[in-house]
Each structure stands twice: as structure tokens, then as C-alpha cells.
Amino acid sequence: MKVSTILKYIVTAFLAFIIVYLSCNFPLFNAELIFLYMVIIMIIIYLYAGKKVRYMIQLSFFWGIIYAFVIISLRSISRNHAILIGFPTIVLFTWGFTYCYRKKLSKKNIFIMLLMTLIFLEGPVRIINFSGTLISLPSFIFNLVAILIGCMLFFSRYNRIIWLSFGGVLGCAVWMFCQGGDMWAHKVVHGTYTGKIYRLANDYFLYDEKGDTLFLSQLKGKIVLLDFWSNGCGVCWEKFPMMQDLYDKYKNENVFIAGVFVEKKEGEYEENMKKFSCKYTFPIFKVSKDASLVKDLSVKRFPSLAVLDTDGVFRGFGNIEIVIKMFNNMVDTEKGKNDK
């Protein structure tokens, strides 16, 4: 038996042992482990495969490295950059890999390997943690389309329809960068694309530091801005100075501004208030994470803001930028009415 064959068997046994060991000591449905299993299996196949299959695995390996580097780098900047810059970049790299392997593999095999590599890289984590990765789903879809268009541009580069398709998708990427990406993120996080809602606030209530109840219906006639936050939310604390500025600006007007602490464990509210009271003066109320107000507004991430009009109706809910803009418009409108 040749030495190369013996080494091949030893490597195979070692890789198989790694799979068995990981399977016995770690959860099976783990995205990172599933990806590692696939890499190990591809290495084992590579050891015994013929030239054609080896070329396919090589293509998948190098493409996976480039894709991961490009997309991870861009997503670290923002999801919108990953779409705007990522789409033409993936098209370009797809074209390049197709050119390099055009004499080694068929058109169909090149396309399948490029596509399957992307699915193997992102598929497991998206299946296991679907809700957590939903916010970056548009980027994933744009990358799938980029592979398709990149291959088509190489094999039919003079086809006007393909170039028009590339231009159309690139236009969609620009729109996602400018507006659509933020709208999608707001939909995933807060349940609406624009932040606009309509919900009566008659039955909802909050608790103050003394334990007294404040019904939102008692605030009719005022424009109300509520800042929902929770324990361990660093971003919430970063936004408090802005809330304090708004409170100081409007505290003598027909406006009610307050924070709403969503308590997940008993005692969290009191502990956070010790720190809060040393720096800020705008009022903080609390509600339980199981309160109807929290559930009906789908308060899942923090900070989240809500604004009510003078009729006691929720008109906006979502991230700070969108709701603050709504709040300012409502205040300006109310001032205009009073001036008349």
C-alpha cells in the first residue's frame, strides 16, 4: 500500500473522529458546527474524488473565502452597505471565478457550486436563528441574484436583457441603501415600515416609583412621548441626554415626556432608578414585560419610542429617529392650531 494512501486513511479517520467528538459533546443544531461538519465532509470527499469534483471543491473553497471576507466586512459597516456595494462586488467576483474555471467545469457546475457555497455559508444560521437573521435577509437575496447575474453576464455578455436586469437590480440596491433597508429593518424590529400606527390607549397604564397607577387615558389633551427601555440596554442610556433635552424644552407646554422601564425581573426597576436619578430628571414609569401595553405594541427591542396625539391615540411606534420626527411634527401642528 502506498504511503499517500495510508496518509489519506489516517487523515480521514482523524476527521471522522472530530465529527463524532463534536456530535457527542456539543448541540447538534448549532450553525457553526453544521458549517464545520460540511467543511470536514468536503475535505474527505476531496481526498478521494476525481479531478472534476476536486475542481468543484476548490471553486467552493476559494469562493467561500472571498464571499465571507467581502460580506462580513461590508455588514460590519452596515447592512445597507452590504447591499449597495456587495451586489456589484459579488457580480464581479462571480464573473472572475467563472472565467477562471470555464475550461475546468461546465457552466452548470460553476453556477451550482457558487450558489450552493453561499447557501452552505448562510443557510444553517438562517434556518436555526431565522428571526435573528431576518433583518439581513435582503442582503442574502441580493447576493443570490448577484451570482445568477454574474454567471449570465459571463456566458451571455452581449444580451441586453441581462444588462437591463443588472441595471434594474442595481437600482433596487441603491433604493435599499437610501431608504428601503431602513424601512425593512424597522418592519423586522418594530412591526411597521414607516412607524405609523393607530391604537387607542384607553386601557393601558403605567406604575410610578411609588407604585401609583397612571392610566394613559388621563393624558388626553397632551402630546405624549414614551421611551421604552430595559435593563442592560447601553444604547438606551446613550439616548437619555436627548430625552432630557426634549423634556427640558417642552416641560412647560402641553406635552408629556417620560421613560417606560420594561421590567423582566423583580427589582430591576429600583436598581436602575438609583443610577438614573443621579443624572436625569424626566419621569420614569415601569411596566411588566407581560403587560398588555408591551404586548400590543410589540415592544421587543430597546430603545423603542411611542407617541400619542391629544386624543389619546398611539400614532407612532418605532426607532428614535422616526418617532422623534413624528413627535416634533405633532408639536408644531398643535402650536399652529393654538396660534390661530
Side-chain angles (χ1 to χ4, degrees):
M1 186 179 293
K2 295 181 179 180
V3 175
S4 59
T5 304
I6 295 174
L7 290 174
K8 190 185 299 184
Y9 290 154
I10 293 174
V11 171
T12 302
F14 176 71
L15 293 175
F17 170 77
I18 292 176
I19 292 178
V20 173
Y21 176 81
L22 293 174
S23 301
C24 294
N25 291 276
F26 296 95
L28 181 61
F29 294 103
N30 180 288
E32 289 77 12
L33 281 182
I34 292 175
F35 173 73
L36 182 59
Y37 293 152
M38 291 189 293
V39 171
I40 293 175
I41 291 171
M42 289 179 68
I43 293 174
I44 294 174
I45 294 174
Y46 185 86
L47 292 174
Y48 297 92
K51 185 181 291 186
K52 179 180 177 180
V53 175
R54 286 192 172 190
Y55 281 140
M56 293 173 70
I57 294 176
Q58 286 176 15
L59 171 60
S60 177
F61 177 76
F62 291 121
W63 170 244
I65 292 176
I66 294 295
Y67 177 82
F69 175 76
V70 171
I71 296 304
I72 290 175
S73 298
L74 290 173
R75 284 181 184 167
S76 66
I77 301 173
S78 79
R79 292 179 299 273
N80 294 343
H81 281 83
I83 294 175
L84 179 63
I85 303 175
F87 170 71
T89 302
I90 296 300
V91 169
L92 180 62
F93 276 111
T94 299
W95 195 96
F97 274 101
T98 304
Y99 176 83
C100 293
Y101 282 86
R102 70 191 187 284
K103 295 180 180 180
K104 301 174 182 178
L105 296 171
S106 66
K107 299 177 183 178
K108 181 176 69 175
N109 287 335
I110 292 174
F111 173 70
I112 289 174
M113 290 310 299
L114 292 176
L115 195 66
M116 292 304 296
T117 300
L118 187 151
I119 294 173
F120 285 153
L121 282 172
E122 296 207 37
V125 68
R126 290 191 176 277
I127 293 172
I128 294 172
N129 186 21
F130 179 75
S131 59
T133 59
L134 189 59
I135 199 167
S136 63
L137 182 61
S139 173
F140 178 64
I141 294 174
F142 269 91
N143 293 336
L144 290 173
V145 175
I147 292 175
L148 175 61
I149 291 180
C151 288
M152 292 173 67
L153 284 176
F154 181 83
F155 295 123
S156 304
R157 69 192 69 176
Y158 301 111
N159 190 314
R160 292 182 179 179
I161 296 177
I162 298 175
W163 281 103
L164 287 173
S165 299
F166 172 75
V169 178
L170 184 60
C172 292
V174 172
W175 178 78
M176 288 293 293
F177 178 80
C178 296
Q179 183 179 10
D182 291 336
M183 291 176 63
W184 171 257
H186 200 274
K187 172 65 175 176
V188 172
V189 176
H190 300 291
T192 66
Y193 291 107
T194 63
K196 294 180 180 179
I197 61 173
Y198 184 93
R199 180 180 292 276
L200 296 175
N202 293 340
D203 299 328
Y204 300 124
F205 56 88
L206 312 170
Y207 294 105
D208 64 15
E209 286 189 78
K210 297 178 181 179
D212 296 330
T213 304
L214 172 69
F215 285 89
L216 295 185
S217 57
Q218 296 174 232
L219 301 174
K220 278 187 178 181
K222 294 184 178 182
I223 297 173
V224 180
L225 180 65
L226 301 177
D227 176 19
F228 291 88
W229 60 291
S230 188
N231 188 50
C233 176
V235 178
C236 300
W237 286 90
E238 292 174 7
K239 301 298 183 181
F240 285 159
M242 181 182 66
M243 294 298 297
Q244 183 66 53
D245 290 341
L246 286 172
Y247 176 76
D248 293 337
K249 181 179 179 180
Y250 294 113
K251 63 182 178 181
N252 295 322
E253 299 189 27
N254 196 39
V255 171
F256 181 85
I257 297 176
V260 179
F261 184 87
V262 179
E263 191 172 50
K264 299 175 182 178
K265 295 181 180 179
E266 188 175 349
E268 286 182 343
Y269 173 72
E270 290 75 13
E271 189 64 31
N272 278 270
M273 286 304 296
K274 292 177 184 177
K275 179 181 176 182
F276 179 89
S277 301
C278 297
K279 297 182 179 181
Y280 307 105
T281 59
F282 64 93
I284 299 292
F285 296 83
K286 74 171 180 177
V287 292
S288 166
K289 66 181 179 63
D290 298 318
S292 57
L293 173 61
V294 175
K295 291 184 176 180
D296 291 348
L297 288 182
S298 295
V299 183
K300 299 176 182 178
R301 299 196 184 186
F302 305 98
S304 292
L305 270 67
V307 63
L308 294 85
D309 63 17
T310 53
D311 295 322
V313 177
F314 281 103
R315 292 290 186 174
F317 174 76
N319 65 35
I320 290 176
E321 290 75 15
I322 289 178
V323 178
I324 290 295
K325 185 177 180 179
M326 291 181 179
F327 169 76
N328 289 330
N329 290 337
M330 290 172 66
V331 171
D332 291 341
T333 302
E334 194 66 22
K335 284 183 177 179
K337 291 180 182 178
N338 294 334
D339 291 341
K340 292 179 181 179

